[in-house]
Structures are given as C-alpha cells and as structure tokens.
Amino acid sequence: MNKNIKFLNLILLNGKLRQKLQAAYSAGFNQVEIWQEDIYIQNDFSEISSIAQFAIEKGIGFTNLQVLRDFTGIPINYQKQKRKELYQFIKLAQAIGCDTIQAPATTRTDCIIDKIDDDLKWMASEAIRHNMRIMYEPMAWCSVDNTLPLAWERLQRINQPNVGLVIDLFHICALGGDVLQLDGIPVDRIYEVQLCDITKQPLKDKKSLMQVARHERQLPGNGIINIECFIDKLKRIGYQGPIGIEVFNDHLKCLPPDEVAYQAWCSLNRYWP
C-alpha cells in the first residue's frame, strides 16, 4: 500500500473554510491545498490561529498555500509590491502551520525574461530563511516556462534546494504533452502531483485553455487523460511525495462539500490506493 500524503485542493468545494476542511477530513484526505482567498475572504485575520487549531484537532495538514502569482520577471516598478506580497504569504503560511508556497511561472506578457532567474533565486533565498519551500508550476498559458521540461531546465539552472516542481496533469496534457515530460526529473524535485481529467482537448489559445482549466476540469477517470501512464511512471521512479486532486469544476462546486469530497477521495484511490 502506498504511504503518500493524499491531498485535496479546496477549490473543488463549496462552503466556508471550516466546512471544506471538515469535508476533506471526513472523506479521508491527509492534507489540503489552501488558497489565500479561503482565509482572507471568508475569515477575519484574527481567526487564522483558530483555523490552524481546527486543522490540528482534525489532524489535517496543509500541502501548500496558494497562489503567489507573477512573481518572476516582474517589471522593476512592481518589484517592491511583489516582494511585500511574498512576505505576506510567508507570514500567513507560518500562521497556519504550512511550510510551502505555490508560485507558478509568470503569465505576464511584459515580463523581463532576463530577470526571471534572479527573481526566483531571491524568492528561494528569502523563503529558506523562514524554512519555506517554493513550488514552481508550469501552467499552459504562462508567458515563459509553460511546459514541464522548460520549468525543469530553469530549476536546474538556478540550483536552489528549496524550489521544486508541481506536476499538474492538466497543464501537461492541455498542450498535447505526455508522461515523457517527467523523464530526467529527479523524484525528490517533484514536490507534489495534482491529478485531474478533461473531457476534450482544449484549443491552444489562452482563452480556451483557461476556460477549461478554471471551470471544466473533471475528476480523474471521467475524461480522456491516460492517467494510468502517469501513475505507472510515478511508481517506477519511486515517488513518495504528496498526490492529490486539483479540479476546478463549476457543477461540482454547487454540490454539498461532503458529497464532492467523497467523490474526489474515491477517484484518487482508484488510481493511487
């Protein structure tokens, strides 16, 4: 039996934060991916410690805090603002007992490409001072590093011990990629694996990609992705990190959170029992 941590991204669930945490816990998940908006929008900052205590009492942890957007390659006039945002993320992550921040590759069309490595190194150095890790995610609509091989090439170049990759099946398969994109990536540099499915191959324009990604993803097994190939590869390389469900789906989000969390749990265990 696999011993990997199993997580659920709370974006799938409807309801207030405590309802979502309870639903994930009751379904069987060890951890959740939590969004900054889950905490700031639905709870006063003074309640953060009580949310952390609630999670401790339930025995459910936080895989990462999401999502620090467009940090790298930022134009110089926005740099101070984005660096302040990083410190806010670190403070919030520490408050809830989380040691990892998700920071995808930039989506800005005005990004300064020659500045990306330095920005990522700076973020890593500041994060490690606070015992934090950075999850770097290549998204299909990123202006740079929109594929796993490109993101891994950058991580090799900057050589920071606390920066690793997010393996998200949507972003691999939406652009026609496959399991071969995992070749050559050391297993310890894969910080987490996010499973999902799609019912159709999205068009490769940004608008269509984002529409499917943010509204129409499916639970694993309900679409066309050959999930078994990815699972077989992960098992062959001895992956022992977190594996879970990240599904943005407007229909499922309208259903009771307990019901949807249980569906997600069954879907995950179909592939990773």
Side-chain angles (χ1 to χ4, degrees):
M1 179 179 292
N2 293 297
K3 299 298 183 181
N4 302 67
I5 287 171
K6 297 179 180 179
F7 67 83
L8 176 65
N9 192 308
L10 294 182
I11 198 67
L12 178 63
L13 303 181
N14 185 23
K16 295 186 180 296
L17 179 53
R18 288 186 186 231
Q19 289 176 289
K20 295 180 180 184
L21 290 172
Q22 181 64 56
Y25 166 76
S26 297
F29 289 98
N30 310 110
Q31 292 188 355
V32 297
E33 292 184 303
I34 190 169
W35 293 70
Q36 182 189 44
E37 292 83 354
D38 277 320
I39 300 170
Y40 282 153
I41 292 177
Q42 299 189 26
N43 298 278
D44 183 85
F45 192 84
S46 63
E47 295 185 28
I48 291 177
S49 60
S50 67
I51 293 298
Q53 185 61 37
F54 181 81
I56 291 171
E57 290 172 1
K58 295 298 181 182
I60 190 164
F62 299 104
T63 314
N64 59 60
L65 175 64
Q66 301 187 342
V67 53
L68 181 58
R69 299 176 178 88
D70 297 329
F71 187 91
T72 57
I74 193 78
I76 195 67
N77 52 316
Y78 293 103
Q79 182 170 286
K80 183 177 181 180
Q81 172 189 335
K82 295 305 291 187
R83 291 187 172 187
K84 180 180 179 181
E85 190 176 345
L86 171 64
Y87 292 129
Q88 291 171 340
F89 264 78
I90 290 172
K91 181 179 179 181
L92 183 55
Q94 290 176 326
I96 63 173
C98 176
D99 68 356
T100 305
I101 295 168
Q102 188 163 331
T106 185
T107 64
R108 294 181 67 112
T109 57
D110 63 348
C111 71
I112 303 170
I113 294 177
D114 291 342
K115 191 171 174 286
I116 292 175
D117 283 2
D118 287 342
D119 284 346
L120 197 49
K121 287 178 181 178
W122 186 89
M123 177 166 54
S125 66
E126 291 304 298
I128 206 168
R129 290 200 306 112
H130 299 277
N131 298 313
M132 288 280 163
R133 302 189 310 164
I134 300 296
M135 286 187 178
Y136 191 65
E137 180 176 19
M139 300 188 301
W141 55 84
C142 286
S143 51
V144 296
D145 297 345
N146 67 331
T147 68
L148 200 54
L150 288 173
W152 173 232
E153 181 181 331
R154 187 173 303 280
L155 263 56
Q156 290 180 89
R157 185 166 60 247
I158 67 167
N159 192 30
Q160 299 297 305
N162 62 325
V163 183
L165 290 166
V166 177
I167 306 298
D168 184 331
L169 267 58
F170 175 85
H171 294 298
I172 295 173
C173 297
L175 295 181
D178 57 30
V179 71
L180 295 177
Q181 291 196 3
L182 274 66
D183 287 351
I185 301 176
V187 68
D188 63 324
R189 301 307 300 275
I190 300 175
Y191 278 6
E192 72 169 17
V193 175
Q194 298 172 334
L195 302 183
C196 71
D197 217 330
I198 52 177
T199 58
K200 59 185 178 181
Q201 193 69 33
L203 299 175
K204 294 185 180 181
D205 63 282
K206 180 178 178 180
K207 183 177 180 181
S208 297
L209 287 168
M210 294 178 72
Q211 170 63 28
V212 176
R214 295 179 174 177
H215 302 280
E216 302 175 21
R217 296 195 207 190
Q218 304 295 320
L219 291 172
N222 293 342
I224 62 175
I225 295 178
N226 190 344
I227 296 170
E228 290 89 348
C229 282
F230 287 94
I231 297 299
D232 289 346
K233 175 71 171 182
L234 291 167
K235 289 180 178 179
R236 284 199 306 272
I237 64 177
Y239 178 67
Q240 297 181 356
I243 185 166
I245 301 291
E246 183 184 68
V247 169
F248 297 67
N249 183 290
D250 290 353
H251 170 70
L252 291 174
K253 200 171 179 70
C254 292
L255 300 177
D258 287 345
E259 176 183 331
V260 177
Y262 179 71
Q263 288 185 42
W265 177 253
C266 292
S267 179
L268 175 59
N269 282 275
R270 172 181 173 183
Y271 293 98
W272 201 274

